[in-house]
Structure formats: C-alpha cells, structure tokens
Amino acid sequence: RKNTKRVPSFRKLLRTSKIKLDNKLKNKQYKQQSAAKKYRKEQKKLREAVRDAISRKPFPLEECKKKQVGKSEKQEEEEEDALPLDMMDEDDLKLMEDLAQKASFLTRDLSSNEPVHIKKRKHESVIDKYEKVPRCMQTEPEKQLIHLLPIKDKGGIIPQTMEKPVLNVAQDEEEDTEEMEEAEDFNEEPLPVLTPEEMAAQRRRKLQERKMHIAALASAILSEPDNNIKKLKELRAMLMEQDPNVAVIVRKLVMVSLMEIFKDIAPSYKIRPLTEAEKATKVKKETQKLREFEEGLVSQYKFYLENLEQTIKDWKQRKLKKSNVISLKAYKGLAEIAVKCLCELLVALPHFNFHNNIIVLIVPLMNDASKMISELCFEAVKKLFKQDKLGYASLGVVKVISGLVRGRNYDVRPEVLKVFLHLRIKEVELQKDSEDIAPKKKFMTYKEKRKNLSRMQRKWKKAEEKLERELLEAEASESKEKKLKLHTETLNIVFVTYFRILKKAQKSPLLPAVLEGLAKFAHLINVEFFDDLLIVLHSLIASGGLSYRESLHCILSAFHVLSGQGDVLNIDPMKFYTHLYKTLFSLHAGGTNDDTGIVLQCLDVMFAKRRKQVSQQRALAFLKRLSTLALHVLPNSSVGILATNRVLMQMFPKMDLLLDNESQGSGVYLPELDEPEHCNAQNTALWELHLLQRHYHPTVQKFAAHLIVGAPTEGSGALSLDLSQRPATELFEAYSMRGMTFNPPVASVMPRRKDTFSQMDSFIDEELNKQLQQHTSETLVHKPLDFAKHLKELSL
C-alpha cells in the first residue's frame, strides 16, 4: 500500500515548532504562578497560626486547679467517674507519669482509639498543630519576645523567638549624669581670649582657606565638567557658610564663581527632561554619561537660581534666618551680588533652561527703590534686546513688563517703558507675505511632465520637487516667518500697553515714554488705528497739560504715522505744523536746549519726507523763525538749526527770496502771528545771518557764510564734506557742550595784556599838584555847621 502521508513543509514545521515553544512557555509560566500561589497560601496560614498562638494565654498543666464550691452537677458526676490515683497500680501510675512528660501524650485526644504516632493527615490544619504545642507556665513575669523567622523540618514548622534584651535603666542614667558632668566641666573651662590682631589674622587665614577651596573646586569642574559634575553640589553647599567671620565674603565669592562656571559649561541648547520610554531604553556608555551630566547640570542650576531668589526675597522682606549668621545690613550686599549674577545669566544664557524664570525675577526689580539694582536690571534688559536676533527672549520680557505695568495700576517708573525703545524691530517686512519672502523656483507643470517625461521619470520628478520645496521652506521661509511672527506678537503687546496708558492714564508720568515709543514704532502700526491715534494725539496737545517735550513727542508720533503707511491717507496735519511753529521760541540756551534734537527730528519728518505736501509760504515762515531761533541757543543747537535751513533752501527753490532786501508781494511780515501760512514771510529778509557770521563759534560762522551766498553745493561758498554730508541731528550731538567745552575750541577775541600805569603825578599839572599836596598837609579842623547863617550871608 502506498504511503499517502505528505512530508510537512518547512513553513508548517516552523509554525508547529513555534506553537510547541509557546505551549512550553505557557506551561512554565503556569507552574511558576501555581507555585507562587501555593507559597502565598502557606505564608498566610503561617501568619494566622502565629497570630492565634500569640493571642491565646498559656495555662499551667502541672498544677491542678482547686475545686470551687458551687460547681454544677455535671462536673460532680465527671469527678465521681474519674479514677482515683490510690486505686491504680504502681506500674500504671509510673506509665502515666512517663507519658505526662511527652507533648504527644498531653495534646492527644485520649477518647480516640488512634495510636500516638499516627501519620499526619493531609486535611490537618496548621492551627490544630499549633494547638498541640505545650503551654508555658505563667509563674514568672511575662517577657517581651521578638518573633524571628520560623524553621521548617520534617516534623513541620518550628517558630523561633528571642527575648527582648532589657536595658538597665539605672546604669544608663548613671552614664548620662557622668557625661553631663564631664560636659559641664568642659564648658567651665574658659575660652582663650584673642586680641584684635589675632582675630584679624585668624579671619584672614580662614578666608584664604575658603578661597583656595573654591578655586580648587572651580578648576576641577571647568577642566572636566562631565566627571566632576558632583563637585558643583559641594561648591553650591558653600552658599550656606555658617562661620560669621567670613560668611558674607565666602557667599559672594561662591555666587560669582558659580555664575562664571555655568556660563562656561552650559551647552548651547536647552536640555529637556527624558521621557519614561527614553529612560527605559538601553544606550551607549557615552550617551548615558552625557545624560547624567545634563541632568546634574540642570538640577544644580535650578538649585543655584533658587538660592539667589531666596537671597533677594530675604533682603526685600527684611527677614533674617534663624541661625542669624549674617546681619541685616550685609544682606543688601548679598542681594546686589545675586542680582548682578542673575543679570549676567539673563544676557549670557538666553537659550538655556529657566530663562523665563530669570526674566520674572529681573523685570520687577527694574522698578526697585534701590537705584543700583534698578540700573543693573535696566542695562541687562537693554543688552538682551540688542543681542536678541530672533525675538524669543524679547517677547518674554515684553510680556512680563506689560503684566507688571497693568498689575501695578501704571504706578511704575518711566524707565520701565523706555526699555521698549531698545527693541530690535525695524523690519517693514512685517506687512509682507511669507510667499514674497521665500525665494522663487520654477517647477514643471503637469502638461510639461506628461509631454517630456515617462511614467517612472514623472514619479521621481514629483518626489524630487517635493523635497526641493521642503528645503526651500527650511532655508528661507521657516526662520523668517518665525522671526516676523515673534516681532508681530511683541509689537502687539507693546502697542496694547501704550494705548491702554493713553486711554486710562493720560496724566501718568509714563506718558512721555509712551509718546516716545509711539514716535519710534508708529510706522509699524496698523492703518486702521491711524485716525483714532491722530485724534488722541491732537487732543493731548490741545489739552495744555503736557510739557514741551511731551508735545514734541506727540508731533513726532503723528508725522511718523503719516510718513509711513499714512501716505495713502488724505490727511492734512496743519494743526501739528501750527503748534510746532508757535512753540519754537520755547527753546533757549537753558534746560530746553536738549529738546532741540527732537525739534530737528520733527522738522526732518515734516519737510524732508513730505516736501510735496508742504506749501512755499509754510516753508518760508519756518525758515525765518528758525534763523531767529539760532541767535539765542547754544552753539550745537545753532549748528543743527542752520543745517536744517540749508536743507530747506536746497529743497524749496524759491527760498532765496529771503536773501533779497526788496519785498515781494503785498503785506508786511508779522512775526508775532502763530499761523505760518498767513504771516507774510516772503516780505522779510534773513538779517540774522549777518549776526551769525560774527558768532564766537567757528562752525556757526561757516554755516552762516554758506547760507548768505545761497547754500551752493559747489564752488567757494560750499561747505566741507564733513559738514555737508552729516544730518542735522548728528551735528547737534557732535558739537554738544555737555562737557562744558567748545568743540572745536574757541579762540579768544583780544589777546590779554597787562595794564601798566605810571604814577598819578604824571597825569596832573604841576600847580594843581602843589595845591593838592598843600591841602593834604594841612590839619583839618571840624567846625559846627550853621546853614541859616550861611544863607543870610549869601542873601546880603
């Protein structure tokens, strides 16, 4: 008969072997589970038996209880049935005594017919076995027992106990009293009294030891940060120095040392915490070592920042520690060092962990009463704004400042808002789309692909173009879009803060800072807010409650708004021209001389950037009034004003009318009129330039001579390149007199000569000289004066 059984295939064998292996594994697991379950049951029974055996009180077996009167009839019958000992044989009595010494006899149920050494049945419980154990006599005082692990042998489980050792209380009390007496004797010994010189030497020695220890730890950490990260903890522990002689200096040194260490060893990326899955996976030794280093670095950096924060809080709350190692006056010095360290870390590590926490600590300190601490925080935030290229750190600071201003109900220092002026947001590309910013690349259309490429080539081409698009987005669009998005969000918060103050706190001292900020960022405001903003600015000026500098900022903000996106709006800001023209004479050589810089900026925006919207009459009026103003301001303001006049004369062609004595047209020039359009400035002349030609400052003389000949760009009357190519605001700063010196030095008009005079006699005639000498030599006799007698003599 032919064998029809097929040989199993390789796949079937594999499948079968896998099933067998799975079954073996399941059986093994089941056996392990059953064994563990059985072990748990035994342990449970053992615990119950031990608990039950402890709870039962032992009773004596040797002594018979005395019969009590009044027992029941049943007990009397049982006693009568019991066999008295005097009726038993000696052999039986001896046998009973021998059996009484054995536990099996005592614990055995005598009513049963089973032999003594019968094999233990399976259903016998552990509790019954413990019941058969002989009890102890309670003749002695009960001892405290310590239950140990039981022992298991052939006979079963044997519990193990040990007596608790009793301490000799009397002996311990004697030892304690002896120790106290020794300590008192030791304390009674007087400490050596040190002289001030010895105390100073001891303090210097301790301080030198601490410095060497700090230097050794810092050098070890900087040389091998990966291996010596644990020494950071040791160095940080020195922030809690308890020696009152050197505690303040040591803590300051440790703060600064740790700050420099963290600046040096911190990586250029933010360390994120590991997930549970990442912790469970096995990695290389180098990776594990790097993880341990990063984890230790972040934890120690966090503790360090917490120590600095606690130091500042203790100083602010005027609170001393319980140890009272450092005095309250010394806490201010510690707090200043802590603030300085935080400011350094804010600027040096803007990318690292806990940077937002540092911002939250630093920003409220900008409004601190201590001038030193507030200036430190101001400088740190300014540096951060200037070096922040992308905008993450700037956004965080602006958010905290906005919350601080709102939380304090606008009761903050103006310098807090002036920090916004240092933001690096000058990009007009905020209004552009990201598609315009990304570089263009021409890709093949579907028809071109269908016509020129095969099916496989089209497939490859599609994948290639997709990859190229991703690369282009990563190169240009991603970074710029992020930057623009961050800048937009930052500006929104800044403008919300400004508009909130304009609306709710117009009489606040923050208003000048708000107007100055609006003047800087006005070209980035949305067009929808232009009308409302201009109305608010004009109402502020018309209210009359602003200072001269604040009104100038209002004018500058309005013209910045109109010179940017406001060109498309049909708005004539004549009221702002009128206000500036009316208030120009508020400038003088005193305190308002510094406001000349803002006036020059306003004139540049009002005329240079809007020359098509400015009439000739308005330009002539401003040229005449500025020339008059140049006579009674400081030299640097005169130079800036004359440079602005030069721009006006070159920009508006008919300005040379003022260089001619003959009047043009009808009317008389009205210098006291506040309307530049109706003051008839074309009928006057720039006679002020002749006075400025004789000015004591040489640069002012050069500008006046240049303007008299018509401000030519070439020829003998042209200015040098150093003066002609610099804007008016730059010239105003360059020739500043803040150092109480002239730039360049002004030569004296007349050389000093010593006054030499001859004797007085050389100027008097000889006869007159003789009379004077004779009169002076005579003695004066004082006689009484009689005016009535003298008048009678004259009348006769």
Side-chain angles (χ1 to χ4, degrees):
R1 187 179 177 183
K2 189 176 179 181
N3 188 10
T4 57
K5 189 176 181 180
R6 289 185 178 181
V7 180
S9 63
F10 181 69
R11 289 187 178 180
K12 191 173 182 181
L13 286 173
L14 281 177
R15 202 181 306 120
T16 307
S17 61
K18 187 177 180 181
I19 292 171
K20 286 183 178 180
L21 290 173
D22 292 343
N23 290 337
K24 283 184 179 180
L25 183 61
K26 288 179 181 178
N27 291 336
K28 187 176 179 181
Q29 291 176 354
Y30 178 73
K31 287 180 181 180
Q32 290 175 354
Q33 290 175 1
S34 60
K37 192 174 181 182
K38 187 175 180 182
Y39 176 74
R40 286 196 299 272
K41 284 184 178 180
E42 290 179 358
Q43 292 294 322
K44 186 177 179 181
K45 288 181 180 180
L46 179 61
R47 288 193 298 271
E48 289 177 356
V50 171
R51 197 182 303 115
D52 190 61
I54 293 170
S55 64
R56 289 179 180 273
K57 292 184 179 180
F59 57 89
L61 295 177
E62 287 86 359
E63 295 182 2
C64 294
K65 292 183 179 180
K66 296 180 181 180
K67 294 182 180 180
Q68 299 177 1
V69 182
K71 287 187 179 181
S72 62
E73 295 177 358
K74 187 177 180 181
Q75 288 178 350
E76 291 177 359
E77 289 176 0
E78 288 177 359
E79 289 175 1
E80 291 175 359
D81 294 340
L83 186 64
L85 294 177
D86 54 358
M87 296 176 64
M88 295 177 65
D89 295 337
E90 292 181 0
D91 296 338
D92 295 337
L93 186 59
K94 189 176 181 180
L95 179 62
M96 292 290 287
E97 289 176 355
D98 293 340
L99 291 174
Q101 304 297 325
K102 296 182 180 180
S104 60
F105 173 74
L106 294 172
T107 58
R108 182 184 171 202
D109 188 6
L110 298 177
S111 63
S112 64
N113 298 324
E114 293 179 357
V116 178
H117 301 292
I118 190 170
K119 189 176 181 181
K120 185 175 70 172
R121 296 181 179 87
K122 290 184 180 179
H123 64 270
E124 185 179 5
S125 64
V126 182
I127 299 174
D128 297 338
K129 187 192 68 165
Y130 271 98
E131 288 295 328
K132 296 174 184 178
V133 176
R135 269 66 171 176
C136 299
M137 294 290 293
Q138 196 171 0
T139 56
E140 299 178 0
E142 205 173 315
K143 296 180 179 179
Q144 293 182 354
L145 300 178
I146 299 174
H147 294 277
L148 306 177
L149 291 174
I151 299 173
K152 187 175 181 181
D153 61 353
K154 292 181 180 180
I157 296 173
I158 304 172
Q160 299 290 316
T161 58
M162 185 182 73
E163 292 183 4
K164 189 174 182 179
V166 180
L167 297 174
N168 194 350
V169 180
Q171 187 178 356
D172 291 343
E173 288 179 356
E174 290 177 1
E175 291 177 358
D176 292 341
T177 53
E178 289 177 0
E179 289 178 358
M180 291 291 290
E181 289 174 0
E182 291 176 0
E184 287 176 1
D185 295 340
F186 179 74
N187 291 333
E188 286 175 1
E189 294 179 4
L191 295 173
V193 180
L194 299 178
T195 61
E197 292 80 5
E198 291 175 347
M199 291 175 66
Q202 184 182 7
R203 182 177 179 274
R204 284 195 297 270
R205 187 177 68 256
K206 287 181 180 179
L207 194 57
Q208 189 64 25
E209 290 175 0
R210 302 293 197 284
K211 286 181 179 179
M212 294 300 294
H213 188 49
I214 293 171
L217 290 174
S219 301
I221 294 168
L222 291 175
S223 59
E224 293 182 0
D226 300 345
N227 300 328
N228 298 321
I229 193 66
K230 292 184 178 179
K231 292 188 177 180
L232 265 178
K233 185 177 181 181
E234 184 180 352
L235 183 58
R236 189 177 56 80
M238 295 183 71
L239 283 173
M240 300 293 111
E241 177 65 43
Q242 297 299 321
D243 191 347
N245 293 327
V246 294
V248 178
I249 297 179
V250 169
R251 291 188 186 188
K252 289 181 180 179
L253 291 174
V254 174
M255 283 181 187
V256 177
S257 302
L258 282 171
M259 181 261 295
E260 294 294 338
I261 289 171
F262 283 121
K263 283 170 61 177
D264 193 31
I265 67 175
S268 59
Y269 54 87
K270 188 175 182 179
I271 299 173
R272 64 173 181 83
L274 298 175
T275 61
E276 295 295 332
E278 289 174 340
K279 290 179 181 178
T281 55
K282 291 184 179 180
V283 293
K284 296 180 181 179
K285 289 184 179 179
E286 293 81 3
T287 309
Q288 185 64 27
K289 188 177 179 181
L290 179 61
R291 285 183 177 180
E292 291 175 358
F293 165 71
E294 289 178 347
E295 186 177 356
L297 178 64
V298 170
S299 63
Q300 294 302 321
Y301 187 57
K302 178 185 175 184
F303 292 141
Y304 172 63
L305 293 178
E306 287 176 352
N307 288 334
L308 296 181
E309 180 185 8
Q310 192 60 42
T311 303
I312 297 170
K313 282 184 177 179
D314 292 342
W315 170 68
K316 294 288 287 182
Q317 298 171 359
R318 305 293 191 269
K319 186 173 67 176
L320 288 174
K321 296 290 184 184
K322 292 181 180 179
S323 60
N324 204 13
V325 176
I326 298 176
S327 64
L328 192 59
K329 292 182 179 179
Y331 256 103
K332 185 178 181 182
L334 278 177
E336 289 176 355
I337 297 296
V339 171
K340 193 175 292 185
C341 293
L342 286 172
C343 292
E344 289 286 335
L345 293 173
L346 178 75
V347 178
L349 302 176
H351 58 277
F352 199 55
N353 300 54
F354 309 113
H355 190 257
N356 289 333
N357 302 73
I358 300 176
I359 291 173
V360 172
L361 283 175
I362 290 295
V363 169
L365 293 175
M366 293 166 62
N367 196 39
D368 194 76
S370 175
K371 188 176 180 181
M372 180 180 178
I373 289 179
S374 60
E375 286 181 355
L376 281 173
C377 298
F378 283 136
E379 293 301 322
V381 174
K382 289 176 186 176
K383 286 181 184 177
L384 182 66
F385 282 163
K386 288 179 182 178
Q387 73 179 21
D388 186 23
K389 296 181 179 178
L390 191 57
Y392 281 111
S394 300
L395 178 60
V397 175
V398 168
K399 283 182 178 179
V400 179
I401 291 177
S402 177
L404 176 70
V405 173
R406 189 175 181 182
R408 298 279 180 89
N409 198 17
Y410 315 107
D411 186 17
V412 295
R413 300 170 65 180
E415 289 81 2
V416 176
L417 285 184
K418 286 184 180 179
V419 176
F420 288 159
L421 300 176
H422 299 273
L423 286 167
R424 292 185 59 178
I425 303 178
K426 299 179 182 178
E427 296 84 352
V428 187
E429 288 83 8
L430 284 168
Q431 307 301 328
K432 294 186 179 180
D433 296 330
S434 58
E435 297 177 359
D436 300 334
I437 300 166
K440 304 292 183 183
K441 184 174 177 63
K442 189 177 181 182
F443 295 102
M444 294 180 69
T445 61
Y446 179 74
K447 290 183 179 180
E448 291 175 351
K449 291 178 187 176
R450 185 97 178 179
K451 184 177 180 181
N452 301 326
L453 302 176
S454 63
R455 184 178 179 183
M456 186 59 68
Q457 286 177 338
R458 287 199 300 272
K459 190 175 180 180
W460 282 103
K461 191 70 176 176
K462 184 178 179 181
E464 185 180 349
E465 288 179 355
K466 184 180 178 182
L467 181 61
E468 286 181 357
R469 284 194 183 95
E470 292 177 356
L471 290 174
L472 287 173
E473 290 174 2
E475 285 175 4
S477 184
E478 185 180 357
S479 61
K480 290 188 176 181
E481 281 179 3
K482 279 184 180 179
K483 185 176 179 180
L484 295 176
K485 186 177 179 181
L486 290 170
H487 284 184
T488 305
E489 189 175 355
T490 305
L491 267 181
N492 287 339
I493 297 172
V494 171
F495 285 140
V496 164
T497 307
Y498 285 164
F499 295 156
R500 195 180 287 143
I501 294 171
L502 283 176
K503 183 178 180 182
K504 297 182 179 180
Q506 292 187 358
K507 296 183 179 180
S508 170
L510 301 176
L511 192 60
V514 171
L515 297 173
E516 196 172 351
L518 285 174
K520 180 173 182 180
F521 301 116
H523 62 286
L524 300 173
I525 301 177
N526 197 342
V527 183
E528 298 174 358
F529 302 110
F530 280 3
D531 289 337
D532 297 335
L533 184 58
L534 290 175
I535 291 171
V536 170
L537 293 175
H538 183 258
S539 64
L540 286 173
I541 293 174
S543 65
L546 301 181
S547 65
Y548 182 60
R549 189 181 185 89
E550 292 171 3
S551 63
L552 290 177
H553 281 306
C554 282
I555 296 170
L556 187 59
S557 303
F559 280 99
H560 271 302
V561 168
L562 295 174
S563 63
Q565 304 173 50
D567 286 338
V568 298
L569 301 176
N570 188 15
I571 298 175
D572 184 19
M574 184 59 198
K575 45 197 172 185
F576 295 106
Y577 281 99
T578 303
H579 182 76
L580 182 62
Y581 181 80
K582 181 172 61 176
T583 58
L584 273 179
F585 286 135
S586 299
L587 294 174
H588 51 75
T592 60
N593 187 72
D594 293 335
D595 297 336
T596 308
I598 307 174
V599 172
L600 296 177
Q601 293 179 29
C602 293
L603 292 171
D604 179 56
V605 180
M606 293 164 73
F607 290 97
K609 296 181 180 179
R610 293 176 59 85
R611 64 174 180 268
K612 293 182 180 179
Q613 288 90 355
V614 178
S615 65
Q616 182 182 350
Q617 292 292 332
R618 196 180 302 175
L620 287 170
F622 269 93
L623 181 61
K624 174 61 180 176
R625 182 157 287 200
L626 286 172
S627 300
T628 308
L629 179 64
L631 290 172
H632 59 273
V633 290
L634 291 180
N636 59 335
S637 298
S638 298
V639 171
I641 290 170
L642 292 177
T644 304
N645 287 352
R646 176 177 176 269
V647 173
L648 290 175
M649 293 181 73
Q650 291 178 348
M651 197 172 295
F652 296 93
K654 294 185 178 181
M655 293 293 106
D656 53 355
L657 292 174
L658 300 179
L659 300 176
D660 192 0
N661 290 333
E662 297 180 2
S663 60
Q664 299 288 331
S666 61
V668 180
Y669 174 58
L670 303 173
E672 71 281 358
L673 193 65
D674 293 335
E675 294 292 335
E677 297 282 351
H678 308 293
C679 65
N680 299 324
Q682 73 276 5
N683 294 327
T684 184
L686 297 177
W687 51 266
E688 296 89 357
L689 296 178
H690 292 279
L691 295 176
L692 291 171
Q693 269 188 311
R694 294 192 290 273
H695 199 276
Y696 59 87
H697 199 278
T699 309
V700 177
Q701 296 176 12
K702 291 179 182 178
F703 267 101
H706 172 69
L707 293 176
I708 281 178
V709 294
T713 55
E714 296 177 353
S716 59
L719 286 175
S720 62
L721 293 176
D722 183 36
L723 298 176
S724 61
Q725 293 184 353
R726 298 169 75 179
T729 53
E730 189 177 341
L731 289 169
F732 171 73
E733 293 294 334
Y735 292 97
S736 175
M737 297 179 63
R738 290 174 186 168
M740 300 303 292
T741 55
F742 290 108
N743 180 24
V746 177
S748 57
V749 179
M750 292 292 291
R752 291 185 179 180
R753 294 181 301 175
K754 290 184 179 180
D755 297 328
T756 56
F757 297 99
S758 59
Q759 294 181 356
M760 192 177 70
D761 298 342
S762 60
F763 297 99
I764 304 174
D765 191 10
E766 291 180 1
E767 294 181 1
L768 183 60
N769 191 15
K770 288 179 182 180
Q771 292 179 4
L772 286 172
Q773 287 178 359
Q774 183 181 357
H775 180 73
T776 54
S777 62
E778 291 179 357
T779 57
L780 296 175
V781 179
H782 296 284
K783 296 180 180 179
L785 298 176
D786 190 354
F787 292 101
K789 183 180 180 180
H790 182 68
L791 289 173
K792 286 180 181 179
E793 291 177 356
L794 289 175
S795 62
L796 294 174

